[in-house]
Amino acid sequence: AVDAASARRRFAFAARVARPDDAADMALRAPRLDLDPDLSQIAADAAFAAGRIEPACRVVQALAGRTEPYWLQARAACFALRGEGPAADLAADLAKSQGVADPWFFSAIASKTGAAPRGPATGQYGTGLAIAVSRALKLAPAREADAALSAPALAALARLSDLPPAARAGYADRAAALGALDSAEHARILDAALTQAEAEALAAAPPPPVPAALPAPTVPPAGAIVAPSFAPPPPPPRLGSPSLELRRTLRDAPDSATKAAALARVLGRDRTPAQRAATAWLYAADLAQAVGAPPDGEAALRLGEAALLAGDGRPAQFARETGAARGLAPAELAALVLLVVAAGGPAPASLFD
C-alpha cells in the first residue's frame, strides 16, 4: 500500500512535470480527497493549472471549512472565475480579515469582479491558482519571471490566444519540450499563431504606391516578339519566430523535397540528441511526408536519425537505397547504416562502395 505522504509526493511531482490535464485527472481521481487537505490542495491546484475550473472549485467547496490562506483565496477565485462578483469580493474581504497578505491576488480579483478599475500589469504563474486567475485576466508574466516558468504555466500561456503570436509560439515550443503539450496540440497552437501573425503582418504592411499617372502605352513594331514581364512576388513577411517561419514553410512547401530540406536545417541547429528527439517528435507527421525525398549528404543523416527517433526508419532506408548518402564521411556513413539496421533494414557491404 502507498502511504499518504508518498501519494502526495507523487501527485505533486506529476503536477510539476506532467501534461496539466493528465496531472489533474490523476489527482482528482484520488479517493476521499476531502479527508486529506494537502492532497486536496494538490488536486485543486492541478485542475486550476489545466483550466478546469469546475472540478477545481468542487474540491474547494468540499473543504469550505478550511481557513488556511490557500483555501480562502481559492474560494474567492472560484466566485470570480464563475462570474459571481459580489460573492468574490466578500470572500476576498474575508481572506484579508483572516490575515492573508497577497496584494497581487486581491488586485487581480478586484479587477476581475469590476471592484477596481485597474488590476495588476502582469500575471503570476507560480501556482495553479495564480495561473487560472492570470489566464482569466489575459496577463502575461513579468519579463524577469519568464525563464523560470513551469511546464503547466508554459502550457497555459501557449493556450492564451491574446498573446503576441511569436510569444505564444515560443511558449508552445517550451511547453512541448517539457511534455506539457502533445504534438497535435502544439501544431494547432502554431497554426493559430501563424494565422494571427500573417493577418497582423498584412494589416501592418504599407499600401502599394499609387502612380501619379499611368505610363503611355507602347506599341511594339510589327512582327516583334514581346516577352511577358512579371514582377517578382514580394518576400513573405518576417514573423519574428523560427517556429512560425518553419510552420509556414512546411505548410506552403510545393513538394516533399522542400519539406525535407527545411526539416534538415532545423535539425542541424539542434545541438543535443535530446533536442533532436524533441524536434522529431513534434514534427513526426511532416517527417513522414518527407520520406521520399531526403536531401543529400549530412542532411540525409539528420533526417534519417530524426525519423527513427519519431518511430519511422524509412528515410534512412531510402537514403541507403538511392545513394543519397554519398559524400558522407565514413563515420557518418556508418551511423546511417546503424539507423537502417535499427529500423529493421539490412546493412549490406555495398553501402560502403
Side-chain angles (χ1 to χ4, degrees), residues 171-201:
Y171 289 131
D173 287 345
R174 292 167 62 190
L178 293 174
L181 293 178
D182 61 29
S183 57
E185 185 173 11
H186 175 262
R188 287 195 299 271
I189 289 172
L190 287 192
D191 286 340
L194 175 57
T195 300
Q196 182 184 351
E198 290 180 321
E200 291 178 359

Side-chain angles (χ1 to χ4, degrees), residues 1 10 57 108 117 142 249 251 292 320 323 327 351:
R10 288 196 316 181
C57 290
T249 299
R251 182 197 64 188
R320 183 191 70 79
L351 182 61

Side-chain angles (χ1 to χ4, degrees), residues 290-294 313-325 340:
V291 164
R314 290 176 297 165
Q317 182 76 2
F318 184 90
R320 183 191 70 79
E321 292 173 351
T322 62
V340 174

Side-chain angles (χ1 to χ4, degrees), residues 82-128:
R82 288 168 164 170
E84 301 176 43
D89 292 331
L90 183 61
D93 289 340
L94 176 61
K96 291 178 187 176
S97 71
Q98 295 290 319
V100 178
D102 189 338
W104 177 89
F105 176 82
F106 293 121
S107 174
I109 293 298
S111 175
K112 180 64 177 170
T113 64
R118 296 181 60 184
T122 59
Q124 290 191 1
Y125 285 82
T127 65

Side-chain angles (χ1 to χ4, degrees), residues 28-233:
L28 289 169
R29 285 199 300 265
R32 307 300 299 273
L33 278 176
D34 56 320
L35 299 181
D36 189 333
D38 293 333
L39 186 55
S40 293
Q41 180 173 334
I42 294 170
D45 215 53
F48 277 128
R52 298 170 60 178
I53 305 305
E54 287 306 316
C57 290
R58 283 196 292 271
V59 176
V60 174
Q61 181 59 36
L63 280 85
R66 307 295 303 190
T67 58
E68 292 86 352
Y70 180 86
W71 299 110
L72 293 172
Q73 290 177 266
R75 281 195 285 277
C78 283
F79 286 128
L81 296 173
R82 288 168 164 170
E84 301 176 43
D89 292 331
L90 183 61
D93 289 340
L94 176 61
K96 291 178 187 176
S97 71
Q98 295 290 319
V100 178
D102 189 338
W104 177 89
F105 176 82
F106 293 121
S107 174
I109 293 298
S111 175
K112 180 64 177 170
T113 64
R118 296 181 60 184
T122 59
Q124 290 191 1
Y125 285 82
T127 65
L129 181 59
I131 289 172
V133 174
S134 297
R135 185 164 51 191
L137 292 174
K138 302 176 181 178
L139 296 174
R143 185 183 301 273
E144 60 272 14
D146 190 85
L149 291 170
S150 65
L154 291 167
L157 286 161
R159 293 165 176 159
L160 195 57
S161 60
D162 293 78
L163 290 180
R168 191 180 180 197
Y171 289 131
D173 287 345
R174 292 167 62 190
L178 293 174
L181 293 178
D182 61 29
S183 57
E185 185 173 11
H186 175 262
R188 287 195 299 271
I189 289 172
L190 287 192
D191 286 340
L194 175 57
T195 300
Q196 182 184 351
E198 290 180 321
E200 291 178 359
L202 183 63
V210 179
L214 293 175
T218 59
V219 180
I225 299 176
V226 180
S229 176
F230 299 103

